[in-house]
């Protein structure tokens, strides 16, 4: 029987463990912080739970358009919200533990060091445990990047892992960083009722996303009272009694009650012993892997944020599954980033799959594009939805769908039709011919596909 040792209990680790067990391997999983990893305990699950409350308040705040009169005193009890956030995160972690136990996976609560490609040492509260193994999967994740001039204190200067200790809604939250994490938290606290200033070092929010989508989100942020500071780079953050002061590199300052740092992630590789076994790292410190999750060292695989391939829970899980299928001789489909669906949980959300607008613009591919504003959708009008659109990319002359963007409430659900189309190489006519409910927001996906029929 093949013995697999997995270091890290996040999506890349626990999904790999379940696959390996199903394929007949003996599996040991070492986790130091809790099953589910940062995704479940401090990142994805908590943040999206917080955002769910924010989204509800945003809907309530716009309900007058639908003829609903709501008392102005409606507000969030942040202590109760965060208690629910942490409770749900722990419940999800417990569910994962039950699934692993039911699959006869050995779990060790400790910190792992790679001794060799055939041995892992786990430091536990009861001493060191040496595990001899046939293969290793590294799925140790990443942690928030901080600056020497902006040190979190867990009270006023915070990383995204520390915000759930807040008991009262910040009077003025300054969010530094306008990537996905920064934009999501800025949107969330704005929806919860806090004053928010978003400090962006770039000329727009969400610089890595579709430009049309990013422009919609920035316009919504501004309309809802958020201050967006473009081309503004943080130099330092300091406490000022009961508040904080963010100093920018051009000398300007921004004062607020709290500051949330969203300036990137650092892979958790320190102390793993990778140098001793010769595992190659990128210039940014991420573990280098191929499309089946192999490192350069035979028998050692890696998955998830520690690889820096695409920092999504879904990608981490897929990398872990692929690694175990490759190791244990099951059918393997190498990771195809051209078919990955992702979502930005702002309000409204941005969902994308396949080729991006930037890739289309920078390539020699002949691509037709259809973009349909949601404002023309009957269901959107009924629900008071004014912002958003559906965009589809298709190969000219063939009509094969190669990418899409949806900006809408719960775009994460609407993108699935386009994700299926990209994954199965469906044509725009096939997407358009599938029945959609009337009225529905998904009707705009089919209508956008129809717009490409003559071009296809």
């Amino acid at each position: 029987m093949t013995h697999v040792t997995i270091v890290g209990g996040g999506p890349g680790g626990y999904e790999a463990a379940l696959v390996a067990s199903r394929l007949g391997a003996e599996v040991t999983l070492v986790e130091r912080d809790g099953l589910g990893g940062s995704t479940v305990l401090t990142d994805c699950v908590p943040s999206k739970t917080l955002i769910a409350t924010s989204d509800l308040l945003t809907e309530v705040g716009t309900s007058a358009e639908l003829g609903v009169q709501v008392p102005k005193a409606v507000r969030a009890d942040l202590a109760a919200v965060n208690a629910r956030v942490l409770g749900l995160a722990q419940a999800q972690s417990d569910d994962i533990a039950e699934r692993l136990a039911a699959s006869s996976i050995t779990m060790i609560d400790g910190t792992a060091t790679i001794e060799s490609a055939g041995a892992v040492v786990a430091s536990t509260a009861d001493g060191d445990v040496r595990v001899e193994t046939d293969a290793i999967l590294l799925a140790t994740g990443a942690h928030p990047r901080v600056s020497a001039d902006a040190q979190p204190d867990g009270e006023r200067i915070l990383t995204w892992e520390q915000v759930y200790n807040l008991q009262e809604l910040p009077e003025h939250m300054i969010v530094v960083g306008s990537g996905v994490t920064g934009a999501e938290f800025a949107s969330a606290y704005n929806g919860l009722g806090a004053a928010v200033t978003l400090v962006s070092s770039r000329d727009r929010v969400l610089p890595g996303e579709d430009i049309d989508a990013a422009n919609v989100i920035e316009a919504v942020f501004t309309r809802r009272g958020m201050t967006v500071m473009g081309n503004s780079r943080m130099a330092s953050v300091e406490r000022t009694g009961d508040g904080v002061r963010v100093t920018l590199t051009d000398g300007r300052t921004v004062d607020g009650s709290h500051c949330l740092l969203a300036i990137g992630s650092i892979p958790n590789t320190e102390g793993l012993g990778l140098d001793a076994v010769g595992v190659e790292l990128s210039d940014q410190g991420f573990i280098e892997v191929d499309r089946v999750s192999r490192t350069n060292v035979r028998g050692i695989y890696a998955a998830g944020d520690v690889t820096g391939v695409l920092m999504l829970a879904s990608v981490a899980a897929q990398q872990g599954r692929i690694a175990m299928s490759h190791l244990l001789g099951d059918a393997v489909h190498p990771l195809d980033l051209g078919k990955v669906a992702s979502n930005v949980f702002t309000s409204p959300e941005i969902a994308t799959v396949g080729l991006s607008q930037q890739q289309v613009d920078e390539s020699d591919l002949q691509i037709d594009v259809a973009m349909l504003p949601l404002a023309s959708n009957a269901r959107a009008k009924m629900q008071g939805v004014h912002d958003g659109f559906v965009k589809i990319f298709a190969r000219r002359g063939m009509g094969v769908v190669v990418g899409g963007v949806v900006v809408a409430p719960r775009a994460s659900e609407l993108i699935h039709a386009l994700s299926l189309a990209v994954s199965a190489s469906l044509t725009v006519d096939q997407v358009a011919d599938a029945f959609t409910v009337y009225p529905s927001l998904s009707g705009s996906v089919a209508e956008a596909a129809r717009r490409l029929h003559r071009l296809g």
Side-chain angles (χ1 to χ4, degrees):
M1 179 181 291
T2 301
H3 185 185
V4 181
T5 300
I6 296 171
V7 181
Y14 73 76
E15 287 289 345
L18 292 169
V19 169
S21 177
R22 273 198 304 273
L23 294 176
E26 179 185 356
V27 184
T28 298
L29 189 151
V30 184
E31 168 58 46
R32 66 183 182 185
D33 296 322
L35 290 170
S38 62
T39 293
V40 170
L41 295 171
T42 60
D43 191 356
C44 190
V45 170
S47 65
K48 277 50 177 181
T49 306
L50 179 74
I51 288 166
T53 300
S54 172
D55 284 347
L56 178 60
L57 283 177
T58 299
E59 291 178 13
V60 170
T62 59
S63 61
E65 180 181 345
L66 278 65
V68 179
Q69 299 299 317
V70 179
K72 293 183 179 180
V74 175
R75 61 180 182 85
D77 178 345
L78 195 62
V81 171
N82 282 339
R84 177 175 182 266
V85 165
L86 296 176
L88 285 175
Q90 188 57 56
Q92 182 71 9
S93 179
D94 293 343
D95 286 346
I96 293 166
E98 289 180 10
R99 290 174 62 194
L100 295 175
S103 297
S104 301
I105 293 165
T106 300
M107 290 171 275
I108 298 176
D109 182 6
T111 301
T113 303
I114 312 306
E115 184 178 274
S116 69
V120 174
V121 176
S123 299
T124 75
D126 299 321
D128 289 351
V129 178
R130 189 174 186 275
V131 182
E132 295 188 358
T133 189
D134 298 304
I136 299 169
L137 173 70
L138 303 172
T140 50
H143 61 276
R145 181 185 300 277
V146 298
S147 164
D149 297 312
Q151 285 294 310
D153 60 13
E155 296 177 354
R156 297 282 174 174
I157 305 173
L158 309 156
T159 70
W160 65 78
E161 294 183 339
Q162 298 172 327
V163 295
Y164 308 109
N165 294 322
L166 294 175
Q167 298 300 296
E168 295 182 356
L169 186 68
E171 181 180 333
H172 181 187
M173 175 69 84
I174 304 170
V175 179
V176 177
S178 63
V180 172
T181 300
E184 286 184 346
F185 276 105
S187 181
Y189 283 107
N190 176 252
L192 290 170
V196 176
T197 296
L198 180 58
V199 178
S200 172
S201 63
R202 307 287 287 275
D203 59 351
R204 62 181 174 89
V205 301
L206 295 167
E209 299 298 318
D210 180 271
I211 188 169
D212 293 316
N215 287 339
V216 169
I217 297 303
E218 185 161 348
V220 171
F221 281 179
T222 303
R223 190 176 73 232
R224 291 177 179 167
M226 189 187 303
T227 300
V228 179
M229 301 180 66
N231 295 309
S232 301
R233 187 175 293 276
M234 176 203 75
S236 65
V237 183
E238 59 184 339
R239 286 283 296 263
T240 57
D242 290 334
V244 296
R245 175 166 293 160
V246 177
T247 300
L248 306 179
T249 53
D250 61 8
R252 289 177 295 161
T253 60
V254 186
D255 292 322
S257 62
H258 297 75
C259 178
L260 171 61
L261 299 172
I263 53 177
S265 299
I266 296 176
N268 294 328
T269 55
E270 187 175 352
L272 272 178
L274 301 185
D275 288 344
V277 294
V279 172
E280 288 183 1
L281 304 180
S282 70
D283 292 340
Q284 294 77 35
F286 294 98
I287 297 175
E288 297 273 19
V289 293
D290 63 13
R291 291 177 60 208
V292 291
S293 305
R294 292 177 297 188
T295 70
N296 64 299
V297 177
R298 185 178 178 86
I300 299 182
Y301 295 75
D305 287 359
V306 74
T307 70
V309 169
L310 193 56
M311 300 177 85
L312 298 170
S314 58
V315 172
Q318 191 75 332
Q319 284 180 295
R321 297 185 197 106
I322 289 170
M324 294 302 97
S325 294
H326 182 270
L327 169 69
L328 299 169
D330 198 18
V332 178
H333 300 284
L335 184 66
D336 185 354
L337 295 180
K339 296 181 178 179
V340 173
S342 63
N343 197 72
V344 182
F345 289 86
T346 46
S347 179
E349 297 177 359
I350 302 173
T352 57
V353 66
L355 283 184
S356 67
Q357 182 73 63
Q358 182 176 350
Q359 289 171 319
V360 168
D361 294 341
E362 294 176 352
S363 74
D364 295 327
L365 295 173
Q366 297 298 303
I367 302 294
D368 291 317
V369 183
M371 182 169 161
L372 185 66
L374 278 187
S376 63
N377 180 287
R379 186 68 181 276
K381 294 175 183 176
M382 297 169 193
Q383 295 179 330
V385 174
H386 304 285
D387 304 294
F389 61 82
V390 173
K391 182 193 290 189
I392 299 178
F393 305 110
R395 283 189 179 271
R396 185 168 300 161
M398 300 169 60
V400 174
V401 178
V402 293
V405 182
V406 178
V407 179
R410 296 171 181 81
S412 48
E413 311 294 345
L414 291 172
I415 198 65
H416 190 231
L418 292 177
S419 182
L420 282 172
V422 171
S423 180
S425 298
L426 300 182
T427 66
V428 289
D429 286 346
Q430 288 173 312
V431 173
D433 287 345
F435 277 91
T436 55
V437 172
Y438 181 86
S440 68
L441 295 184
S442 60
S444 287
V445 176
E447 180 58 30
R450 282 187 204 98
R451 300 282 177 98
L452 290 169
H453 169 67
R454 291 186 181 276
L455 299 173

